[in-house]
PDB file of all heavy atoms in Angstrom:
ATOM      1  N   PHE I  75       5.558  42.276 -20.979  1.00 98.00           N
ATOM      2  CA  PHE I  75       6.495  42.259 -19.848  1.00 98.00           C
ATOM      3  C   PHE I  75       7.526  43.334 -20.155  1.00 98.00           C
ATOM      4  O   PHE I  75       7.642  43.879 -21.262  1.00 98.00           O
ATOM      5  CB  PHE I  75       7.198  40.921 -19.719  1.00 98.00           C
ATOM      6  CG  PHE I  75       6.284  39.840 -19.249  1.00 98.00           C
ATOM      7  CD1 PHE I  75       5.543  39.082 -20.209  1.00 98.00           C
ATOM      8  CD2 PHE I  75       6.116  39.461 -17.919  1.00 98.00           C
ATOM      9  CE1 PHE I  75       4.685  38.092 -19.856  1.00 98.00           C
ATOM     10  CE2 PHE I  75       5.308  38.460 -17.534  1.00 98.00           C
ATOM     11  CZ  PHE I  75       4.580  37.742 -18.490  1.00 98.00           C
ATOM     12  N   TYR I  76       8.332  43.682 -19.126  1.00 98.00           N
ATOM     13  CA  TYR I  76       9.376  44.664 -19.277  1.00 98.00           C
ATOM     14  C   TYR I  76      10.673  44.204 -18.632  1.00 98.00           C
ATOM     15  O   TYR I  76      10.655  43.510 -17.624  1.00 98.00           O
ATOM     16  CB  TYR I  76       8.986  46.014 -18.632  1.00 98.00           C
ATOM     17  CG  TYR I  76       7.741  46.611 -19.224  1.00 98.00           C
ATOM     18  CD1 TYR I  76       6.465  46.274 -18.758  1.00 98.00           C
ATOM     19  CD2 TYR I  76       7.828  47.580 -20.265  1.00 98.00           C
ATOM     20  CE1 TYR I  76       5.340  46.858 -19.309  1.00 98.00           C
ATOM     21  CE2 TYR I  76       6.706  48.190 -20.779  1.00 98.00           C
ATOM     22  CZ  TYR I  76       5.441  47.771 -20.286  1.00 98.00           C
ATOM     23  OH  TYR I  76       4.311  48.339 -20.834  1.00 98.00           O
ATOM     24  N   LEU I  77      11.766  44.518 -19.255  1.00 97.00           N
ATOM     25  CA  LEU I  77      13.128  44.356 -18.641  1.00 97.00           C
ATOM     26  C   LEU I  77      13.568  45.809 -18.264  1.00 97.00           C
ATOM     27  O   LEU I  77      13.669  46.650 -19.151  1.00 97.00           O
ATOM     28  CB  LEU I  77      14.092  43.757 -19.564  1.00 97.00           C
ATOM     29  CG  LEU I  77      14.021  42.191 -19.788  1.00 97.00           C
ATOM     30  CD1 LEU I  77      15.126  41.765 -20.740  1.00 97.00           C
ATOM     31  CD2 LEU I  77      14.115  41.445 -18.466  1.00 97.00           C
ATOM     32  N   TYR I  78      13.768  46.035 -16.977  1.00 95.00           N
ATOM     33  CA  TYR I  78      14.283  47.343 -16.529  1.00 95.00           C
ATOM     34  C   TYR I  78      15.658  47.226 -16.002  1.00 95.00           C
ATOM     35  O   TYR I  78      15.946  46.353 -15.112  1.00 95.00           O
ATOM     36  CB  TYR I  78      13.318  47.881 -15.458  1.00 95.00           C
ATOM     37  CG  TYR I  78      13.875  49.168 -14.834  1.00 95.00           C
ATOM     38  CD1 TYR I  78      13.952  50.346 -15.541  1.00 95.00           C
ATOM     39  CD2 TYR I  78      14.291  49.159 -13.457  1.00 95.00           C
ATOM     40  CE1 TYR I  78      14.524  51.496 -14.961  1.00 95.00           C
ATOM     41  CE2 TYR I  78      14.771  50.304 -12.888  1.00 95.00           C
ATOM     42  CZ  TYR I  78      14.947  51.444 -13.648  1.00 95.00           C
ATOM     43  OH  TYR I  78      15.413  52.590 -13.087  1.00 95.00           O
ATOM     44  N   LEU I  79      16.579  48.034 -16.504  1.00 93.00           N
ATOM     45  CA  LEU I  79      17.976  47.967 -16.080  1.00 93.00           C
ATOM     46  C   LEU I  79      18.246  49.145 -15.159  1.00 93.00           C
ATOM     47  O   LEU I  79      18.153  50.334 -15.615  1.00 93.00           O
ATOM     48  CB  LEU I  79      18.914  47.994 -17.273  1.00 93.00           C
ATOM     49  CG  LEU I  79      20.381  48.018 -16.950  1.00 93.00           C
ATOM     50  CD1 LEU I  79      20.778  46.764 -16.169  1.00 93.00           C
ATOM     51  CD2 LEU I  79      21.174  48.095 -18.246  1.00 93.00           C
ATOM     52  N   ASP I  89      16.348  52.743 -20.361  1.00 86.00           N
ATOM     53  CA  ASP I  89      16.634  51.630 -19.425  1.00 86.00           C
ATOM     54  C   ASP I  89      15.513  50.630 -19.347  1.00 86.00           C
ATOM     55  O   ASP I  89      15.513  49.763 -18.455  1.00 86.00           O
ATOM     56  CB  ASP I  89      16.966  52.146 -18.034  1.00 86.00           C
ATOM     57  CG  ASP I  89      18.340  52.805 -17.985  1.00 86.00           C
ATOM     58  OD1 ASP I  89      19.080  52.648 -18.912  1.00 86.00           O
ATOM     59  OD2 ASP I  89      18.599  53.487 -16.982  1.00 86.00           O
ATOM     60  N   ARG I  90      14.531  50.660 -20.239  1.00 94.00           N
ATOM     61  CA  ARG I  90      13.361  49.700 -20.111  1.00 94.00           C
ATOM     62  C   ARG I  90      13.018  49.157 -21.517  1.00 94.00           C
ATOM     63  O   ARG I  90      12.784  49.913 -22.473  1.00 94.00           O
ATOM     64  CB  ARG I  90      12.149  50.388 -19.467  1.00 94.00           C
ATOM     65  CG  ARG I  90      11.017  49.429 -19.291  1.00 94.00           C
ATOM     66  CD  ARG I  90       9.877  50.040 -18.462  1.00 94.00           C
ATOM     67  NE  ARG I  90      10.165  49.970 -17.049  1.00 94.00           N
ATOM     68  CZ  ARG I  90      10.487  51.048 -16.258  1.00 94.00           C
ATOM     69  NH1 ARG I  90      10.479  52.236 -16.772  1.00 94.00           N
ATOM     70  NH2 ARG I  90      10.760  50.875 -15.007  1.00 94.00           N
ATOM     71  N   ILE I  91      12.974  47.831 -21.625  1.00 97.00           N
ATOM     72  CA  ILE I  91      12.591  47.151 -22.811  1.00 97.00           C
ATOM     73  C   ILE I  91      11.222  46.516 -22.661  1.00 97.00           C
ATOM     74  O   ILE I  91      10.978  45.811 -21.687  1.00 97.00           O
ATOM     75  CB  ILE I  91      13.629  46.038 -23.188  1.00 97.00           C
ATOM     76  CG1 ILE I  91      14.985  46.639 -23.552  1.00 97.00           C
ATOM     77  CG2 ILE I  91      13.106  45.192 -24.353  1.00 97.00           C
ATOM     78  CD1 ILE I  91      16.083  45.624 -23.724  1.00 97.00           C
ATOM     79  N   MET I  92      10.317  46.751 -23.588  1.00 97.00           N
ATOM     80  CA  MET I  92       9.030  46.087 -23.517  1.00 97.00           C
ATOM     81  C   MET I  92       9.008  44.972 -24.554  1.00 97.00           C
ATOM     82  O   MET I  92       9.537  45.068 -25.627  1.00 97.00           O
ATOM     83  CB  MET I  92       7.899  47.130 -23.940  1.00 97.00           C
ATOM     84  CG  MET I  92       6.486  46.531 -23.822  1.00 97.00           C
ATOM     85  SD  MET I  92       5.880  45.689 -25.255  1.00 97.00           S
ATOM     86  CE  MET I  92       5.183  47.060 -26.217  1.00 97.00           C
ATOM     87  N   PHE I  93       8.447  43.816 -24.127  1.00 98.00           N
ATOM     88  CA  PHE I  93       8.341  42.686 -24.983  1.00 98.00           C
ATOM     89  C   PHE I  93       7.117  41.877 -24.696  1.00 98.00           C
ATOM     90  O   PHE I  93       6.560  41.931 -23.567  1.00 98.00           O
ATOM     91  CB  PHE I  93       9.593  41.772 -24.922  1.00 98.00           C
ATOM     92  CG  PHE I  93       9.759  41.030 -23.611  1.00 98.00           C
ATOM     93  CD1 PHE I  93       9.329  39.756 -23.452  1.00 98.00           C
ATOM     94  CD2 PHE I  93      10.351  41.721 -22.488  1.00 98.00           C
ATOM     95  CE1 PHE I  93       9.501  39.015 -22.225  1.00 98.00           C
ATOM     96  CE2 PHE I  93      10.491  41.039 -21.286  1.00 98.00           C
ATOM     97  CZ  PHE I  93      10.066  39.728 -21.157  1.00 98.00           C
ATOM     98  N   ILE I 102      16.837  37.846 -25.409  1.00 98.00           N
ATOM     99  CA  ILE I 102      16.915  39.293 -25.612  1.00 98.00           C
ATOM    100  C   ILE I 102      18.389  39.679 -25.468  1.00 98.00           C
ATOM    101  O   ILE I 102      18.996  39.543 -24.407  1.00 98.00           O
ATOM    102  CB  ILE I 102      16.063  40.047 -24.568  1.00 98.00           C
ATOM    103  CG1 ILE I 102      14.599  39.614 -24.726  1.00 98.00           C
ATOM    104  CG2 ILE I 102      16.178  41.548 -24.805  1.00 98.00           C
ATOM    105  CD1 ILE I 102      13.651  40.261 -23.706  1.00 98.00           C
ATOM    106  N   ASN I 103      18.941  40.204 -26.529  1.00 98.00           N
ATOM    107  CA  ASN I 103      20.322  40.740 -26.532  1.00 98.00           C
ATOM    108  C   ASN I 103      20.352  42.230 -26.820  1.00 98.00           C
ATOM    109  O   ASN I 103      19.622  42.703 -27.756  1.00 98.00           O
ATOM    110  CB  ASN I 103      21.188  39.993 -27.588  1.00 98.00           C
ATOM    111  CG  ASN I 103      21.380  38.550 -27.157  1.00 98.00           C
ATOM    112  OD1 ASN I 103      21.643  38.208 -26.003  1.00 98.00           O
ATOM    113  ND2 ASN I 103      21.258  37.662 -28.151  1.00 98.00           N
ATOM    114  N   THR I 104      21.108  42.980 -26.062  1.00 96.00           N
ATOM    115  CA  THR I 104      21.190  44.437 -26.295  1.00 96.00           C
ATOM    116  C   THR I 104      22.530  44.953 -25.702  1.00 96.00           C
ATOM    117  O   THR I 104      23.404  44.083 -25.356  1.00 96.00           O
ATOM    118  CB  THR I 104      20.035  45.129 -25.553  1.00 96.00           C
ATOM    119  OG1 THR I 104      20.032  46.506 -25.897  1.00 96.00           O
ATOM    120  CG2 THR I 104      20.016  44.890 -24.058  1.00 96.00           C
ATOM    121  N   THR I 108      22.783  51.506 -24.974  1.00 90.00           N
ATOM    122  CA  THR I 108      21.606  51.671 -25.828  1.00 90.00           C
ATOM    123  C   THR I 108      20.591  50.594 -25.545  1.00 90.00           C
ATOM    124  O   THR I 108      20.127  49.949 -26.407  1.00 90.00           O
ATOM    125  CB  THR I 108      22.046  51.645 -27.312  1.00 90.00           C
ATOM    126  OG1 THR I 108      22.692  50.400 -27.570  1.00 90.00           O
ATOM    127  CG2 THR I 108      22.969  52.781 -27.693  1.00 90.00           C
ATOM    128  N   PHE I 109      20.275  50.518 -24.265  1.00 92.00           N
ATOM    129  CA  PHE I 109      19.520  49.377 -23.754  1.00 92.00           C
ATOM    130  C   PHE I 109      18.191  49.047 -24.451  1.00 92.00           C
ATOM    131  O   PHE I 109      17.916  47.944 -24.844  1.00 92.00           O
ATOM    132  CB  PHE I 109      19.279  49.562 -22.249  1.00 92.00           C
ATOM    133  CG  PHE I 109      18.625  48.362 -21.574  1.00 92.00           C
ATOM    134  CD1 PHE I 109      19.322  47.215 -21.372  1.00 92.00           C
ATOM    135  CD2 PHE I 109      17.345  48.436 -21.118  1.00 92.00           C
ATOM    136  CE1 PHE I 109      18.791  46.104 -20.797  1.00 92.00           C
ATOM    137  CE2 PHE I 109      16.739  47.360 -20.488  1.00 92.00           C
ATOM    138  CZ  PHE I 109      17.465  46.173 -20.328  1.00 92.00           C
ATOM    139  N   ASP I 110      17.387  50.150 -24.626  1.00 92.00           N
ATOM    140  CA  ASP I 110      16.079  49.902 -25.266  1.00 92.00           C
ATOM    141  C   ASP I 110      15.991  50.312 -26.725  1.00 92.00           C
ATOM    142  O   ASP I 110      14.917  50.365 -27.314  1.00 92.00           O
ATOM    143  CB  ASP I 110      14.971  50.619 -24.442  1.00 92.00           C
ATOM    144  CG  ASP I 110      15.028  52.125 -24.705  1.00 92.00           C
ATOM    145  OD1 ASP I 110      16.125  52.681 -25.104  1.00 92.00           O
ATOM    146  OD2 ASP I 110      14.022  52.813 -24.470  1.00 92.00           O
ATOM    147  N   MET I 111      17.172  50.559 -27.328  1.00 90.00           N
ATOM    148  CA  MET I 111      17.215  50.917 -28.704  1.00 90.00           C
ATOM    149  C   MET I 111      17.572  49.758 -29.613  1.00 90.00           C
ATOM    150  O   MET I 111      18.687  49.231 -29.623  1.00 90.00           O
ATOM    151  CB  MET I 111      18.325  52.043 -28.947  1.00 90.00           C
ATOM    152  CG  MET I 111      17.995  53.329 -28.160  1.00 90.00           C
ATOM    153  SD  MET I 111      19.308  54.514 -28.243  1.00 90.00           S
ATOM    154  CE  MET I 111      19.303  54.882 -30.047  1.00 90.00           C
ATOM    155  N   PRO I 113      16.685  46.408 -29.400  1.00 95.00           N
ATOM    156  CA  PRO I 113      17.194  45.148 -28.826  1.00 95.00           C
ATOM    157  C   PRO I 113      16.810  43.989 -29.759  1.00 95.00           C
ATOM    158  O   PRO I 113      15.824  44.050 -30.432  1.00 95.00           O
ATOM    159  CB  PRO I 113      16.468  45.064 -27.453  1.00 95.00           C
ATOM    160  CG  PRO I 113      15.158  45.862 -27.722  1.00 95.00           C
ATOM    161  CD  PRO I 113      15.656  46.977 -28.623  1.00 95.00           C
ATOM    162  N   ILE I 115      15.244  40.574 -30.112  1.00 98.00           N
ATOM    163  CA  ILE I 115      14.335  39.743 -29.358  1.00 98.00           C
ATOM    164  C   ILE I 115      13.845  38.584 -30.234  1.00 98.00           C
ATOM    165  O   ILE I 115      13.298  38.810 -31.319  1.00 98.00           O
ATOM    166  CB  ILE I 115      13.137  40.511 -28.851  1.00 98.00           C
ATOM    167  CG1 ILE I 115      13.616  41.735 -27.999  1.00 98.00           C
ATOM    168  CG2 ILE I 115      12.174  39.643 -28.022  1.00 98.00           C
ATOM    169  CD1 ILE I 115      12.508  42.664 -27.557  1.00 98.00           C
ATOM    170  N   HIS I 121       5.552  38.514 -29.951  1.00 98.00           N
ATOM    171  CA  HIS I 121       6.385  39.711 -30.050  1.00 98.00           C
ATOM    172  C   HIS I 121       6.778  39.974 -31.491  1.00 98.00           C
ATOM    173  O   HIS I 121       6.839  41.133 -31.934  1.00 98.00           O
ATOM    174  CB  HIS I 121       7.668  39.546 -29.207  1.00 98.00           C
ATOM    175  CG  HIS I 121       8.435  40.856 -29.167  1.00 98.00           C
ATOM    176  ND1 HIS I 121       8.157  41.906 -28.312  1.00 98.00           N
ATOM    177  CD2 HIS I 121       9.509  41.262 -29.894  1.00 98.00           C
ATOM    178  CE1 HIS I 121       9.007  42.897 -28.534  1.00 98.00           C
ATOM    179  NE2 HIS I 121       9.788  42.556 -29.473  1.00 98.00           N
TER     180      HIS I 121
END
Side-chain angles (χ1 to χ4, degrees):
F75 294 85
Y76 298 86
L77 283 182
Y78 171 68
L79 177 61
D89 289 345
R90 184 172 279 109
I91 293 173
M92 186 272 272
F93 67 97
I102 302 177
N103 292 316
T104 186
T108 55
F109 186 68
D110 73 339
M111 298 173 63
I115 303 175
H121 186 82

